[in-house]
Amino acid sequence: MKLVYSLGGSILAGKDPQSLQIYAKALNELAETHRIFVVVGGGRIAREYIEKARALGASEIFCDQIGIGATRLNALLLVAALGEAAPQDIPASYSEAAQSPYRIVVMGGLAPGQTTDAVSALLAERVGADRLIIATSVDGIYTADPEKDPSAQKLKTMTPHALVRLAMETEMKAGSRSPIDPLAAKIIERSGIPTAVVLGSKIENLRLGALGGHSGTEIRPE
Ligand code: UTP
């Protein structure tokens, strides 16, 4: 299978070298039988730098560019953990990623106005992926923000259309914290790519999100 992962920056950044090696090992194991693409998020560094730049009067697009820099920095850290298995240069376009001869390709953000979830959904379209796995800091998609609303319930399955509706309600500023960005939701909807949203800090979710049996949210057309 061709698998595209969106790996939240909070999952990798701040981890010690041993934990990074555990992620690299899990990806290498999957790469024995599958072609793997990983899009790494910006996490804490992105948010910190964006906040500071915004306080200094930077525009939103400038803040996005800082965020992209952070995602690429985190991507390089994963490349360091993967060693020979992945190219040392982070692809600067979807075509470059798609044409790479490596079994594992790691990339970060590309264009302002979106997040790495959108990059991963577009990359999934570009490479004709069998599945998209969004490994993030929440364990699935909820009916409401579980941190603010104790009655929020996790959805086992959801249609791409419902995902778009939910994504449209979220704020779209540089570094904004939302389960999924609106562009990513629209791409998932138009391509119909089977998508899993899983807790990325649980390492086995990389495999379960791809092969089934995870406890997150599965997004698929009705
Ligand atoms: P992330 O993809 O990390 O966003 O990009 P996020 O929602 O904070 O994801 P987590 O928390 O890592 O899972 C960080 C910021 O970088 C900019 C945006 O401002 C985004 O909020 N960015 C990233 C872009 O503008 N374009 C991209 O292609 C990627």
Side-chain angles (χ1 to χ4, degrees):
M1 285 199 290
K2 277 186 196 165
L3 304 171
V4 175
Y5 287 89
S6 176
L7 203 53
S10 52
I11 312 300
L12 288 183
K15 285 267 183 320
D16 53 48
Q18 285 80 2
S19 313
L20 288 168
Q21 262 161 357
I22 293 172
Y23 275 87
K25 187 167 172 274
L27 291 169
N28 265 316
E29 279 168 12
L30 282 159
E32 284 170 16
T33 39
H34 307 285
R35 181 108 205 272
I36 309 290
F37 298 86
V38 187
V39 185
V40 182
R44 191 171 45 80
I45 332 173
R47 268 189 288 276
E48 263 181 44
Y49 275 61
I50 286 170
E51 255 170 49
K52 284 178 192 164
R54 193 179 278 137
L56 291 166
S59 63
E60 284 303 306
I61 184 171
F62 192 92
C63 292
D64 280 340
Q65 273 152 349
I66 289 183
I68 293 169
T71 64
R72 293 171 71 87
L73 194 64
N74 286 336
L76 283 168
L77 199 57
L78 181 60
V79 167
L82 285 163
E84 303 275 282
Q88 303 269 301
D89 294 316
I90 303 298
S93 70
Y94 296 105
S95 297
E96 212 183 299
Q99 283 159 15
S100 172
Y102 286 78
R103 302 250 352 134
I104 306 180
V105 179
V106 183
M107 66 189 291
L110 286 179
Q114 59 183 31
T115 72
T116 44
D117 288 340
V119 175
S120 64
L122 286 160
L123 183 61
E125 275 195 340
R126 177 64 178 79
V127 302
D130 297 282
R131 279 183 73 74
L132 171 63
I133 301 103
I134 300 182
T136 181
S137 54
V138 284
D139 64 348
I141 297 198
Y142 283 74
T143 50
D145 183 345
E147 278 179 23
K148 291 183 192 148
D149 183 349
S151 70
Q153 283 185 347
K154 186 164 67 179
L155 299 163
K156 246 178 142 28
T157 59
M158 165 177 223
T159 64
H161 184 65
L163 181 73
V164 169
R165 266 203 323 246
L166 184 84
M168 285 306 178
E169 289 165 12
T170 59
E171 192 187 40
M172 206 192 150
K173 279 176 104 175
S176 103
R177 269 181 179 272
S178 62
I180 193 147
D181 89 70
L183 180 60
K186 286 300 278 183
I187 303 299
I188 290 168
E189 183 187 38
R190 81 173 182 186
S191 65
I193 177 148
T195 302
V197 179
V198 296
L199 186 66
S201 55
K202 224 171 125 190
I203 189 88
E204 61 266 36
N205 275 337
L206 295 186
R207 194 172 44 81
L208 300 177
L211 308 177
H214 64 84
S215 56
T217 302
E218 191 68 26
I219 299 155
R220 52 166 179 258
E222 265 166 324

